[in-house]
Amino acid sequence: MVLPEYYVTLAIQVGIYAIAALGLNITMGKAGQVNLGQAAFMGIGAMASAILTLRLGLPFWLALPASGLLAGLAGTLLGLVSVRLRHDFLAITTIGFNFIVVYVFLYYEVFGGSYGIIGIPRPTIAGLELKSLYYAILVYAILALLMAIARFFDKTWGGIAFKLVREDEEAAMSLGVDVRKFKIIAFALGAAYGGIAGSLIAHFKTVIVYSDFEFVYSIMILSMSIIGGLDSIPGALVGASIVILLPEIFRPLTEYRYIMYTSIIAVMLLYMPSGILGSGSPVTKLYRKLVQK
Amino acid sequence: MIDEILQHLLSGVTVGSIYAATALGLTLVYGLLKILHIAHAGVYVWGAYAGFYAYTYTGNPIVAGLASMAVAALLGVGIERVFYLRLLDKPRYVPLMVSIALFILMEELAANLFGHYPKGFHVEELPRQSINVGGLTINALQVVVVSIILSAFVSLWAILAKTRFGIASQALIQDMEVSQALGVNLYRVLDVNFALGSALAGLAGLIVGMYYSSIYPYMGNIVAYKALVVIVLGGFGSIAGALLGGIILGVSEEFLTAYLGHILPREAFAFIVLVLLLIARPQGLLGRGE
Amino acid sequence: MKLGVQKTLLAAVIVVLLVVAIIAVLVVLRGAGEEETIKIGFFAPLTGPASADGIAARTGAEIAVEIINERGGILGKRVELVVYDDALNPDQAVAVAQKLIQLDGVVAAVSGSYSSTTLAASQVFEESRVPLVVAYAVNPLITEGKRYVFRVGMLAETEGKAAAYTAVKLLGYKTVAILYIDNPYGDSLAKTAKEYVEKYGGEVVFMDKFQFGTDDFSPWLNQIKAIDEEKGVDVLLIVGYYQHAVAVKQAKSLGIQAQILGVEGFDSPKFIEIAGDAAEGVIIVTDFDRDSDLEMTKEFTKRYIEKRNLDPDMVAASSFDAIMVLAEAIEKAGSLDKEKIIEELSKIRDFPGVAGKILYFTENHNAVKELTLQVVENGKFRRYAMITEEEIITPSK
């Protein structure tokens, strides 16, 4: 049986947004730095990738890491600002960053202005165009790689430093951890993940417009992270599946479906604020019990 | 040229006072609970609709104003009781996310209950004529808007600075634990703060509807985030700061849009001002250093 | 401990609900395919800030399907409209397009959505070789170079030409100020209008753009007022949607005397409701002629008012036409063969659409249609003039 393209499309979207959410899990969940502008980093990656392939003729395989790098660079800049700011000022600054980036996309023609950029090429391997199922495989391979990197980082010095920065900055400093440096790394890494997700969505849809990266999408990505569990690496995938699939399930409800969807999120956060796979969540506890037995 | 500048200034002050009114509730809540209360913009929308329907059925703008404030106050306190109080010990992003979800929920409910289309809103009792002073055209409506908002601010300031309740809430803002130990009833103070801030947001919704002649379910979208800029400009928890921040934002947006609008659009300026300000003064314009 | 048990239960309930919901939807979808109908897909923003237009568009499409079915359907089969919400989110529009094509197996589809979503979805339809008729989205890239995508709505550039023609040639004015919305619609309309105002011998004395969410137009209107006092502004062309009707009111209350010229985006009873008295005398360029003698226009208007208790607008009329044009093409194709359907669509001539007679589709599948000028009189849109000059109504591509 051929898997209908619809499911493949959803699977691809889940995979791509899981990467963006994973980036947020690193910045927010692991290092405790609020970022409400992840969609902007996706946008930077997507625009970079589109321009590099379409206007400069670079192959996708170069544009993909380059767009991660560029978004990471932007993240470093925001990180430099972030080290000066307290929690909520930082939250508001990242919202502002998202608005500014989107309006730059809108106002400057190189980013397609209000018309957008079309005809972004799909990646090819030895002349074979990667679409549909092949693209899904590519997305999930990248997701797996990025999850592994996040896990490796988490289990080694990075994770320990992040935890210290998150929980007690002064203690971290007294232990000789360069808090400033790690905050910036957290932003850069999270942003780079966002950029890679952006590149992947651009080459999947082949069309991008400035409005694809508006602030509401940052909120969407954030809700994936929180629902899945901000401090959990697989949580990003769980959160992305719920946030993307739930509205699809409610599709027959047409104009009422967002009422359903937002109610579920509000109620869930009330009773399960650490997300489905976050530490202290019932699912995690259950899992631990089963494993211990 | 000077006429044009004055005209811009007048428009900027009017819009700025509206921004201030929407930001006030946010700043009160933030001062006490440290929650970025995005759903405040939902309260603003519902307040606008309550006033609209009250006006449609009674034809009395005063009743409309009271209805706006009452419905908004109830909603505000409801959100506080049902959601925020239960989330105080959770990481800060949890109430923020809940707040955003509630905001979208309130908008979607409004759209499905009151109609997706904007509603034309014309209050006949309001003066409509324009006065010409030199080359400056002053619209009577602008005068009404600014004076209603100013008097609301003054009365609120009086409540918070002169009454026992006000002193209690100031004490809570300064130090929650000590003041509770001294017998300040946290929940009552919270309720009143939410009620006052939300009532003003409801009134602001109604005034905005009146000023722009329409009310629509998604009218809170830009307000929700612009109010954040206002409270950063004015300093969290400060009433005078909210007014000042609102007017600074309104006026600077007006001029930047008129003369530099080709570089970036209006909504971007608010945030550029904000980011630059925060880089220069990480504690906010009026905030004290730590 | 008690709390922990509750939470576990809750999580279990959520997971079970999710799974049940997925299965239920699948079962419903499988079940729906039994009856022998012709399925036409339809997507529009039914939630979020664009939902008012999305729902109007859906109503227009539903009326078309109703009428078709009352007349005995297409090729003797009932037509079934499969409607989905795209929430004005291009990612969702892509998923919706896939769902319509693969799961629902639609013969063809109509977009009742805006440009960004339609552009993303059009790519899917093109690659899947399924015809898509676009009701009113204006971005020229949507149809450019695509074999399977057609547009019944006016192109923004056509409207721009018509607006310039109206201001300078028809009304005989000279100085024009242009205030336009910053999206493909406003951008392309305003630029073409400027070009043609100058070509016809007029002068553009002011031109600037605003964002969709704007409701305070003073930064621009104050400048226009200053220019007006200095050298006079005859016409103020405002390119926006009915949500921006307040611009007209603000212009009037600032004392700007210029004739206000609007566009298709103002074509909604809501424009008049919001602008109030200030709407009187505003002329708009559009394609939906309310005073048309067409039997179909009367029927459509009657049914729309019955359903919504509201006067129909251009968005609804265009979606109605999109379904009707598609139905005609399928009928003529004599089968559900998609190649034949697009062939018939290309052959459409003088189709009596509610939103203007469609003369034919251009090489890039954009409709060439008659335009109308409507003026607000006593709180209603009325016909002011028709524009049928070939030079104006024919798009460049």
Side-chain angles (χ1 to χ4, degrees), chain C residues 35-40 64-80 323-324 326-332 336:
Chain C
E35 196 192 349
E36 264 270 31
T37 56
I38 292 186
K39 285 189 181 177
I40 295 180
V65 169
E66 247 173 56
I67 292 177
I68 292 168
N69 283 338
E70 280 165 25
R71 289 177 181 168
I74 307 175
L75 305 173
K77 288 181 195 150
R78 277 182 62 79
V79 175
E80 185 190 336
I323 298 274
M324 285 301 192
L326 193 55
E328 166 133 334
I330 299 173
E331 191 74 61
K332 282 207 175 132
L336 301 183

Side-chain angles (χ1 to χ4, degrees), chain A residues 28 34 36 81 84-93 95-97 99-100 103-104 106-108 215 219-220 222-223 226 230 255-256 258-260 262-263 265-267 269-271 273-274, chain B residues 30 34 36 82-83 86-87 90 92-94 96-98 100-102 104-105 108-109 112 116 225 228-229 232 236 261-265 267-268 271-272 274-275 278-280 282-284 290:
Chain A
M28 274 182 80
V34 186
L36 298 183
V81 177
R84 296 173 52 96
L85 298 174
R86 279 186 311 160
H87 181 279
D88 295 300
F89 280 131
L90 178 57
I92 299 173
T93 304
I95 295 177
F97 175 73
F99 275 86
I100 295 168
Y103 285 125
V104 168
L106 170 65
Y107 255 46
Y108 294 91
F215 175 62
I219 294 304
M220 188 176 94
L222 178 63
S223 64
I226 293 179
L230 250 184
E255 62 256 53
Y256 305 106
Y258 270 80
I259 294 178
M260 194 69 155
T262 49
S263 315
I265 288 183
V267 171
L269 283 174
L270 211 49
Y271 292 98
S274 55
Chain B
Y30 190 85
K34 305 284 181 288
L36 289 176
V82 178
F83 293 95
R86 298 187 189 190
L87 295 172
K90 300 292 182 298
R92 303 271 276 281
Y93 58 81
V94 174
L96 174 66
M97 196 67 226
V98 168
I100 292 172
L102 285 177
I104 300 172
L105 178 65
E108 287 296 328
L109 279 174
N112 284 293
H116 294 252
Y225 305 107
L228 296 177
V229 179
V232 173
F236 291 108
H262 53 283
I263 300 180
L264 274 172
E267 314 319 331
F271 290 104
I272 286 178
L274 172 91
V275 171
L278 283 178
I279 292 173
Q283 69 275 28
E290 302 232 330

